[in-house]
Amino acid sequence: MANERTHVQITNGSSGTMGQLTDNEQAWIEFIRVISGGRDPRVTPARVRALRELLDAG
Amino acid sequence: MTNPYQNTATARLITDRIRDLSHRKTQAEIASEAGFGNANMMTFLKNGKNKVPLDRVPSLAKALEVDPAYLMRLALDQSVGATAAKAITDIFGTPTTENESGWLIELRDASDNSDPRITARSRAALRGVFGK
């Protein structure tokens, strides 16, 4: 299922389901859940910058 | 057992949110918004006497001002147990919150849709990003 991808539906409330994600995307989200202690961290400019730097570094 | 759901993540979340919202609305108002006829229901949910009825998750999430997908994950665990909840989410998928969808969009955009694997280095960096 590696690269199988569908869009994630975004609504005012909850968004989509993990069933719509690739295995790799599920791994990213599950790791974020674990390290954030389930606090559902917001997307902030500083965090996005850090994510981009991380991905740019390979 | 008097309070079988005491100290579950769901009970703790509800306790925290009622406290956080207390300057704007009362516990009785939250119960009413969530559609509970009995205002004592919020106390029962906080102390773990009752579990969150799954059909009330959308209205309760709105009343508590939390993401419904997040509350559903916790309520499902509370309602059917961790093993059954995992079986359900394995089949139907775990609901993702609005914030998580935001992260997915950023991840896809930042990686040019290359579906990157999460590496040991990524994990270490993410711990830094989220302060842990």
Side-chain angles (χ1 to χ4, degrees):
Chain A
M1 130 162 206
N3 289 318
E4 180 186 336
R5 188 192 310 276
T6 56
H7 73 283
V8 174
Q9 176 191 357
I10 294 181
T11 65
N12 288 332
S14 59
S15 304
T17 70
M18 291 286 262
Q20 297 170 302
L21 311 184
T22 69
D23 288 347
N24 287 334
E25 288 172 340
Q26 286 188 35
W28 280 86
I29 291 301
E30 283 168 6
F31 188 70
I32 289 173
R33 284 179 187 166
V34 170
I35 60 173
S36 66
R39 291 190 305 274
D40 191 27
R42 294 179 55 185
V43 178
T44 64
R47 286 172 175 165
V48 169
R49 273 196 304 277
L51 177 68
R52 286 181 178 277
E53 286 168 11
L54 161 65
L55 290 167
D56 287 346
Chain B
M1 192 186 303
T2 313
N3 296 347
Y5 307 104
Q6 189 175 22
N7 288 327
T8 56
T10 320
R12 289 197 300 271
L13 173 71
I14 291 169
T15 302
D16 289 349
R17 290 306 296 158
I18 288 173
R19 185 196 57 228
D20 294 345
L21 295 170
S22 61
H23 65 288
R24 286 198 281 119
K25 44 185 165 183
T26 66
Q27 190 168 300
E29 286 169 336
I30 291 171
S32 173
E33 271 185 57
F36 294 122
N38 182 357
N40 292 330
M41 186 63 173
M42 297 314 301
T43 298
F44 298 154
L45 294 176
K46 282 198 302 185
N47 64 25
K49 187 176 191 315
N50 287 59
K51 61 187 173 187
V52 171
L54 294 179
D55 62 324
R56 294 288 181 196
V57 166
S59 57
L60 181 59
K62 192 172 179 190
L64 292 171
E65 301 177 22
V66 299
D67 191 291
Y70 180 43
L71 182 60
M72 178 57 89
R73 278 209 305 272
L74 298 185
L76 197 58
D77 227 43
Q78 187 188 51
S79 194
V80 299
T83 306
K86 183 178 183 311
I88 290 169
T89 54
D90 281 351
I91 294 168
F92 295 107
T94 306
T96 50
T97 68
E98 199 166 352
N99 286 334
E100 289 169 346
S101 287
W103 283 113
L104 286 165
I105 289 166
E106 294 298 340
L107 177 66
R108 290 171 183 173
D109 190 49
S111 67
D112 286 331
N113 290 313
S114 62
D115 192 29
R117 293 181 53 142
I118 184 163
T119 61
R121 192 163 65 176
S122 308
R123 290 173 194 271
L126 283 175
R127 283 196 180 89
V129 173
F130 293 99
K132 188 175 177 182

